[in-house]
Amino acid sequence: MAKKVSGAEAFIECLYKENVEVIFGIPGGSLLPIHDELYDSSIRHILVRHEQCAAHMADGYARATGRTGVCMATSGPGATNLVTGIANAYMDSVPMVAFTGQVPTSMIGNDAFQEADITGITLPITKINYLIKDANDLPRTIKEAFYIASTGRPGPVLVDIPKDVQTAEIEFEYPKTFELRGYKPTIEGHPLQIKRAIKAIMDAERPIVYAGGGVIISNASEELRALAELALAPVTTTLLGKGAFPESHPLSLGMVGMHGTKYANYAMTETDLIIAVGARFDDRVTGKLDAFAPNAKVIHIDIDPAEISKSVSVSIPIVGDAKSVLKELIKGLIGASRTEWLKKIEEWKKEFPLRYDRSGKTLKPQFIIEQIHEVCPDAIITTEVGQCQMWAAQYFKYTKPRSFISSGGLGTMGYGFPAAIGAKVGCPDKTVIDIAGDGSFQMTCQELATAVLNDIPVTVAILNNGFLGMVRQWQELFYDKRYAATYLGTSPDFTKLAEAYGALGIEVVKPSEVKSAIEEAVTSDKPAVIDFKIDPEENVLPMVPAGAAINEIIDYEG
Amino acid sequence: MKHTLSVLVENKPGVLARVAGLFSRRGFNIDSLAVGVTENPEISRMTIVLEGDNRVLEQVTKQLNKLIDTIKVSDLTAEESVERELVMIKVVAEPKMRSEIMQIADIFRARIVDVSPKTMIIEATGDETKINAMESLLKQFGIKELARTGKVALTRGLKSVQEWK
């Protein structure tokens, strides 16, 4: 028998049914009924300091745990502040449900106080969004929202709930089923295409596996490893694919593309068969399209048919879930032998390793990342965006899925710190470190309050060079060293900033202090900020200039 | 080349905005878009005419299919189909010109649906070439206003674009 409840009570009931344990958010006028109900519920509400960070925390939580992240904001400015976080989750296929309060239905369209057309605004950055106009639709809508966000190619869904819908009385019953005629993700690959793919892999002389974030989303790392070992194909990953394949494995090539390893880029250029799994041939990966993998046939495994042949033409498309398709592929493969190809790759690896000045004369960011890896190899690393992100990608060796969390598609500075907080909330037993730049960290550093007050001990490692470093690097290389608007200066004092919030602040200027600082931060059981004063002119290398072929690489001389 | 897509979508608010937004965002050009409810009141049919090569068409189709509210996308270009568009043209029609205009309308099996002392409205249905031909003949009299519905289309015979069951 259905019971009579308010929309807000029904909302909480729905979240229980969806096993939501935490919401990141900020209340407001049009969310009062829901927050009033949350007050008595067992769902944890983490009060953040800016709604953008609520979305990033939900995102970090989702990437670290595989569960759907939930964020919530009030109508108008609260809702629009979520937008960057939602767009970020959309680009990187992160399961997230964003709830927004809305002005009462009778006032919608009237330019009411704190009204924004958030369903209109988020149309192109959500899988789907809903404006609930009738409280009776609330349970079904929330069920659909969680289902759509977490299935197929995951992504954010926004549900806009007017205040009068939260107070209306309804007979609550959580629907067991619902029908979505237009939404039926393909999970299993087509058997004929799988057969063709197996043959192509067996026939190939120089195959390469190109793995993306889809492998991690699909929890298919084991299958990927089995495929690579059976086919004896080296594996390169995208930025978001880091952790999908252990970088300690002899078949690992590291990352491909603009700041990828030279050997991955050379292998990609010479391969005769790309086995793409859950990756989308982003422009940062392919470089100049005409020169990308000129001799290669392409097998493309992706759950989203719209990604197939979008930028690179594909000879064997397989629409399906990575785990399911890889399982089928493995069944058909017979162990291969590829002495020549693997020998060539070994030679490239020896000749063109990642390198930087290890003399220890100045504090190098690459050295710091290596030290972080040495102190806590099992940490979850989140990153901001720019140089810090690329060094974190290049010099930490990721061996497990969900251990590298970064804003790939949208490239959102300020993402890493709130994402770290979200990841730590989802995985409290893990060490979580945000590798940051001084520019990025200042975009969301107010969340130190959230971390301190909610006792969420994450470490922020600021690679402080006083610049918007990646832009400065491009200015150095392509704009005649004219550093327009990229110098950030020496303010603030990050140690004092951390202390002002009640966090631990540590300053590091010498290479010899690096390790102990990291150890102190991660064992302090407090949110910590380490301000590493790094060599301000250090660049991220190797680098493929934008628009060049990926084997046309800038690197250190000599 | 021009393609005609027949797209079945959920008859819900915001769906048209999603489809239109998708076209503008991804840089696809729409020639015309006609939308109306089908025999099932929960479902609308959009008939979209667009210009583009096969690559563009493939992307459009995939992106449309990706929308949760899209039920079915069919390209009618290669199919045996009936395509129609309705046009209303208000022409300048002084009394002495009326009979000539009526003759032209007659040839195109069009109808006069309004007459005023100085104008007539002609209504015609047909495919694009017919409507274009009639429009160009009527130009000499002076066209005051013109409204076209955009094309709607159905496949011929038993086959239908409604395999949503």
Side-chain angles (χ1 to χ4, degrees):
Chain A
M1 185 60 207
K3 53 176 177 176
K4 284 222 165 207
V5 297
S6 71
E9 284 173 84
F11 174 83
I12 305 293
E13 285 295 321
C14 293
L15 297 197
Y16 284 143
K17 297 277 186 195
E18 294 298 334
N19 300 314
V20 173
E21 54 169 17
V22 60
I23 301 174
F24 303 94
I26 302 184
S30 65
L31 269 182
L32 279 163
I34 282 178
H35 273 276
D36 191 53
E37 287 300 330
L38 260 179
Y39 200 54
D40 296 327
S41 83
S42 62
I43 297 169
R44 185 175 180 196
H45 180 274
I46 294 181
L47 173 64
V48 305
R49 294 298 180 268
H50 187 291
E51 289 89 348
Q52 180 191 344
C53 297
H56 289 330
M57 287 178 203
D59 176 318
Y61 172 89
R63 292 195 214 205
T65 62
R67 296 196 289 270
T68 301
V70 179
C71 57
M72 191 156 72
T74 192
S75 63
T80 54
N81 274 349
L82 286 178
V83 168
T84 301
I86 295 172
N88 188 74
Y90 187 71
M91 285 288 262
D92 290 351
S93 311
V94 178
M96 177 197 289
V97 177
F99 293 105
T100 47
Q102 182 55 281
V103 300
T105 45
S106 59
M107 293 168 82
I108 290 177
N110 251 336
D111 302 321
F113 176 65
Q114 292 195 327
E115 180 186 0
D117 172 17
I118 196 62
T119 46
I121 290 167
T122 57
L123 205 71
I125 53 167
T126 48
K127 268 183 96 172
I128 192 162
N129 60 26
Y130 302 89
L131 167 60
I132 303 180
K133 286 185 173 163
D134 179 344
N136 290 300
D137 294 338
L138 193 139
R140 181 189 46 82
T141 306
I142 293 180
K143 192 176 173 83
E144 274 185 29
F146 277 90
Y147 177 72
I148 291 172
S150 61
T151 53
R153 179 179 183 174
V157 174
L158 180 134
V159 183
D160 200 17
I161 313 176
K163 196 171 183 181
D164 57 326
V165 169
Q166 299 169 34
T167 51
E169 262 209 352
I170 62 165
E171 290 196 355
F172 179 77
E173 201 164 2
Y174 205 55
K176 289 192 178 63
T177 55
F178 53 84
E179 204 202 327
L180 288 169
R181 287 177 282 218
Y183 182 69
K184 294 194 173 62
T186 308
I187 303 299
E188 277 165 40
H190 195 285
L192 201 76
Q193 296 295 74
I194 288 175
K195 236 185 196 165
R196 288 181 61 209
I198 292 168
K199 183 168 186 311
I201 295 170
M202 303 302 287
D203 290 350
E205 284 176 16
R206 301 180 305 281
I208 184 169
V209 175
Y210 157 58
V215 175
I216 293 167
I217 294 168
S218 154
N219 297 316
S221 297
E222 271 177 46
E223 289 77 7
L224 184 80
R225 182 176 177 155
L227 172 89
E229 287 174 353
L230 263 175
L232 274 185
V235 179
T236 184
T237 72
T238 65
L239 181 73
L240 295 189
K242 286 213 153 255
F245 188 77
E247 295 186 312
S248 49
H249 195 288
L251 285 171
S252 169
L253 293 172
M255 185 170 72
V256 68
M258 183 173 275
H259 293 294
T261 59
K262 280 184 166 176
Y263 38 93
N265 285 346
Y266 291 152
M268 197 59 126
T269 305
E270 295 217 359
T271 179
D272 62 350
L273 178 73
I274 298 174
I275 308 163
V277 194
R280 61 184 177 89
F281 296 92
D282 175 77
D283 54 275
R284 286 294 191 263
V285 162
T286 63
K288 187 178 172 190
L289 266 176
D290 302 339
F292 177 72
N295 311 311
K297 256 181 135 170
V298 178
I299 300 171
H300 193 173
I301 301 163
D302 206 293
I303 198 154
D304 181 0
E307 286 303 344
I308 288 172
S309 291
K310 189 175 80 176
S311 42
V312 167
S313 77
V314 170
S315 24
I316 307 176
I318 308 178
V319 178
D321 177 58
K323 194 179 185 87
S324 157
V325 173
L326 288 175
K327 270 190 176 153
E328 291 305 310
L329 281 180
I330 295 161
K331 275 188 208 162
L333 283 177
I334 307 159
S337 103
R338 308 185 195 281
T339 346
E340 229 175 283
W341 176 229
L342 295 181
K343 208 177 123 207
K344 192 164 196 182
I345 282 168
E346 274 317 304
E347 283 167 14
W348 280 331
K349 279 189 181 178
K350 264 197 204 111
E351 199 177 342
F352 309 110
L354 284 175
R355 60 208 175 122
Y356 67 93
D357 172 9
R358 291 174 193 267
S359 66
K361 277 183 224 140
T362 54
L363 182 54
K364 293 287 183 187
Q366 299 94 330
F367 172 74
I368 296 166
I369 309 288
E370 286 177 340
Q371 292 293 300
I372 293 174
H373 182 252
E374 204 175 306
V375 176
C376 24
D378 293 323
I380 294 177
I381 300 295
T382 72
T383 80
E384 305 295 341
V385 167
Q387 287 183 316
C388 56
Q389 178 185 33
M390 289 301 120
W391 287 319
Q394 290 175 331
Y395 286 91
F396 194 101
K397 297 290 163 238
Y398 301 91
T399 53
K400 291 195 188 75
R402 304 192 185 280
S403 61
F404 178 75
I405 295 177
S406 190
S407 168
L410 198 66
T412 312
M413 288 173 68
Y415 167 80
F417 180 42
I421 294 174
K424 182 73 181 174
V425 168
C427 307
D429 299 333
K430 289 262 185 183
T431 300
V432 182
I433 301 174
D434 170 35
I435 294 177
D438 46 323
S440 287
F441 182 58
Q442 288 186 73
M443 289 194 176
T444 51
C445 60
Q446 78 283 348
E447 298 306 323
L448 276 169
T450 309
V452 168
L453 295 174
N454 291 282
D455 195 16
I456 306 166
V458 298
T459 295
V460 182
I462 305 175
L463 309 177
N464 185 351
N465 54 13
F467 276 104
L468 294 165
M470 187 58 95
V471 186
R472 187 208 58 77
Q473 176 173 337
W474 284 49
Q475 288 170 332
E476 177 188 331
L477 296 172
F478 312 117
Y479 289 85
D480 213 12
K481 299 194 179 182
R482 288 159 53 82
Y483 297 143
T486 42
Y487 180 60
L488 292 166
T490 50
S491 173
D493 180 330
F494 286 105
T495 318
K496 283 189 182 149
L497 181 80
E499 285 164 358
Y501 277 105
L504 176 68
I506 308 171
E507 188 181 81
V508 172
V509 289
K510 286 188 289 200
S512 58
E513 304 163 345
V514 171
K515 198 167 179 183
S516 60
I518 299 164
E519 282 165 345
E520 187 188 347
V522 299
T523 53
S524 68
D525 270 339
K526 278 170 83 172
V529 176
I530 315 175
D531 183 10
F532 292 105
K533 307 279 195 208
I534 63 162
D535 178 349
E537 293 201 65
E538 185 60 27
N539 285 336
V540 176
L541 293 171
M543 176 183 189
V544 177
I550 58 169
N551 59 348
E552 296 166 16
I553 303 169
I554 303 174
D555 202 356
Y556 295 100
E557 279 162 30
Chain B
M1 124 171 225
K2 272 200 172 47
H3 291 271
T4 305
L5 296 181
S6 189
V7 186
L8 292 172
V9 297
E10 297 285 349
N11 181 15
K12 282 187 197 161
V15 177
L16 178 61
R18 266 188 189 270
V19 171
L22 187 154
F23 275 80
S24 64
R25 197 167 71 255
R26 301 230 175 230
F28 306 136
N29 288 319
I30 304 183
D31 275 19
S32 75
L33 188 157
V35 53
V37 71
T38 64
E39 75 282 7
N40 179 345
E42 289 178 0
I43 293 171
S44 294
R45 184 185 301 274
M46 292 185 183
T47 310
I48 302 171
V49 180
L50 73 144
E51 181 82 43
D53 56 19
N54 285 336
R55 203 184 164 82
V56 168
L57 185 79
E58 189 185 331
Q59 261 302 306
V60 169
T61 308
K62 284 174 170 174
Q63 293 294 345
L64 281 171
N65 268 318
K66 196 167 158 175
L67 298 179
I68 311 283
D69 286 327
T70 301
I71 300 164
K72 176 108 186 140
V73 182
S74 298
D75 182 9
L76 298 185
T77 316
E79 302 273 339
E80 279 286 318
S81 62
V82 186
E83 303 184 336
R84 288 291 181 274
E85 188 176 10
L86 185 142
V87 66
M88 288 200 282
I89 305 175
K90 188 185 284 180
V91 287
V92 179
E94 302 285 342
K96 60 179 179 188
M97 306 308 295
R98 277 188 195 151
S99 64
E100 196 180 335
I101 291 169
M102 286 165 75
Q103 268 181 16
I104 291 171
D106 206 31
I107 291 165
F108 286 97
R109 294 172 198 274
R111 299 194 303 148
I112 313 294
V113 291
D114 181 63
V115 183
S116 76
K118 287 189 175 167
T119 62
M120 291 169 103
I121 297 178
I122 298 162
E123 173 209 294
T125 59
D127 60 19
E128 205 181 357
T129 44
K130 170 179 159 179
I131 286 172
N132 289 347
M134 191 176 78
E135 185 191 331
S136 68
L137 270 175
L138 290 174
K139 257 192 190 140
Q140 53 179 314
F141 305 101
I143 293 176
K144 283 190 77 75
E145 267 189 304
L146 185 149
R148 292 171 85 140
T149 57
K151 195 196 303 187
V152 292
L154 288 177
T155 52
R156 283 185 189 276
L158 256 181
K159 210 177 155 198
S160 61
V161 184
Q162 59 157 37
E163 292 128 33
W164 62 75
K165 278 149 199 152

